[in-house]
Amino acid sequence: MSNKAKVLVYGLLSVLCVPFVFPTWWMVTSSFKSTSEIFTYPPKLLPSEWHFGAYREVFRLQPFAEQYWNSLYIAAVVTVGTMAVASLAGYAFARIQFPGQNAMFVVVLTGLLIPSEVTIVPLFQLFNRFGLIDTHWPLILVPIFGAPSVLATFIMRQFFVTLPKELEEAARVDGLGRFNTFRLIALPLARPALGAVGIFTFLNSWNLFLEPVVYLSSKDKFTLPQALTQYVDAYGGPMWDVQLAAASLTALPVLVVFVLAQRQFVEGLAHTGLKG
């Protein structure tokens, strides 16, 4: 493109990104404002006077650091577990021929049609029977082995379908078994799809709200979405500056993960077609 065309395109993209960037900018800058200034209209891009007390209150009113760690390690474990299970299942559906293969894959895909609200009551009864209520196990096991991993399995299966079979046939000729072919040949090539699955899974686990509310009751076990609802005053009203400060801190890991893995995310979506 010519320089004029580039300037026009970048200018148009800059204007289009304003509705997406402004809410985040307002959230972060408002966490440094006084409560009265937060609701001024039109909203100010920067605070008149910078206040840092809200960030101190975030950690004083609740065990926010511990809750932050809860969300972080749960999201990390769920992401790694889902990537492992989805890659194995996706490779099996793409490369291993067995009776009823397509029918079983359709059955797996129906998990996308079942809302989590439908299954949460029987799952609660199941975990309650095993004494796992008010622990993090339900928040780890359900996403890895339940319906939330169906999309990840679909993405991995579609990626493995597009891989040339000649690569695996050459590996088999060299003496590699099925699992080693998957581990040494197919899985390294699936890095873009794994990046997309990782971002989807981390974001989904990080933002879970209904499940922690149902399964957890102790503040020291809360995850961040649940913890954000606890910043209220003596009358039950929201403490806006503190909530915005906590929300700004909550958004940091998602931003970091996306920045580090955005290339794999885009490539994974580009290579995940509907072949097969």
Side-chain angles (χ1 to χ4, degrees):
M1 291 189 298
S2 64
N3 290 333
K4 290 184 178 180
K6 288 182 179 180
V7 171
L8 181 62
V9 170
Y10 286 124
L12 179 60
L13 291 176
S14 299
V15 173
L16 292 177
C17 76
V18 169
F20 302 96
V21 175
F22 179 75
T24 303
W25 176 270
W26 180 87
M27 176 185 70
V28 175
T29 57
S30 294
S31 66
F32 296 100
K33 298 176 183 177
S34 62
T35 304
S36 59
E37 192 177 9
I38 291 175
F39 296 100
T40 57
Y41 186 82
K44 297 181 178 179
L45 293 179
L46 293 172
S48 302
E49 184 178 351
W50 294 80
H51 299 273
F52 297 90
Y55 285 88
R56 290 192 295 268
E57 291 297 298
V58 166
F59 294 93
R60 187 185 69 82
L61 297 175
Q62 285 199 94
F64 191 75
E66 191 170 359
Q67 295 164 348
Y68 211 98
W69 166 250
N70 292 339
S71 284
L72 197 60
Y73 99 82
I74 290 173
V77 171
V78 169
T79 300
V80 173
T82 300
M83 290 169 66
V85 172
S87 60
L88 287 169
Y91 183 78
F93 280 119
R95 286 291 189 258
I96 301 176
Q97 302 295 325
F98 56 89
Q101 176 185 17
N102 293 330
M104 184 174 292
F105 186 62
V106 171
V107 171
V108 171
L109 289 181
T110 56
L112 293 174
L113 307 177
I114 303 175
S116 59
E117 294 81 2
V118 174
T119 59
I120 197 164
V121 172
L123 285 174
F124 177 87
Q125 294 176 341
L126 176 65
F127 286 116
N128 186 44
R129 180 170 298 181
F130 287 99
L132 298 178
I133 298 301
D134 201 25
T135 70
H136 293 148
W137 283 110
L139 305 182
I140 295 174
L141 295 177
V142 173
I144 293 178
F145 298 104
S149 66
V150 173
L151 178 61
T153 301
F154 174 77
I155 292 176
M156 296 306 301
R157 186 260 184 188
Q158 298 305 111
F159 186 90
F160 285 130
V161 165
T162 63
L163 290 181
K165 291 185 178 180
E166 290 77 10
L167 295 174
E168 298 173 61
E169 291 173 354
R172 300 296 292 272
V173 170
D174 290 339
L176 290 180
R178 175 70 73 179
F179 180 75
N180 284 331
T181 300
F182 162 77
R183 182 173 62 89
L184 299 176
I185 304 298
L187 194 59
L189 294 174
R191 192 175 303 168
L194 287 173
V197 168
I199 289 182
F200 276 130
T201 306
F202 187 90
L203 185 61
N204 179 70
S205 178
W206 188 260
N207 290 332
L208 276 184
F209 177 73
L210 176 62
E211 288 79 359
V213 169
V214 171
Y215 295 123
L216 303 178
S217 57
S218 302
K219 279 194 174 183
D220 60 328
K221 294 184 175 67
F222 282 3
T223 56
L224 290 179
Q226 187 179 8
L228 292 177
T229 65
Q230 304 299 309
Y231 291 107
V232 294
D233 57 25
Y235 301 99
M239 304 171 67
W240 292 108
D241 54 341
V242 180
Q243 286 191 357
L244 289 170
S248 299
L249 293 173
T250 300
L252 283 177
V254 176
L255 180 62
V256 171
V257 168
F258 183 78
V259 169
L260 294 178
Q262 60 177 329
R263 182 177 179 181
Q264 286 78 11
F265 177 73
V266 174
E267 290 181 3
L269 294 181
H271 288 85
T272 305
L274 299 176
K275 181 179 178 181

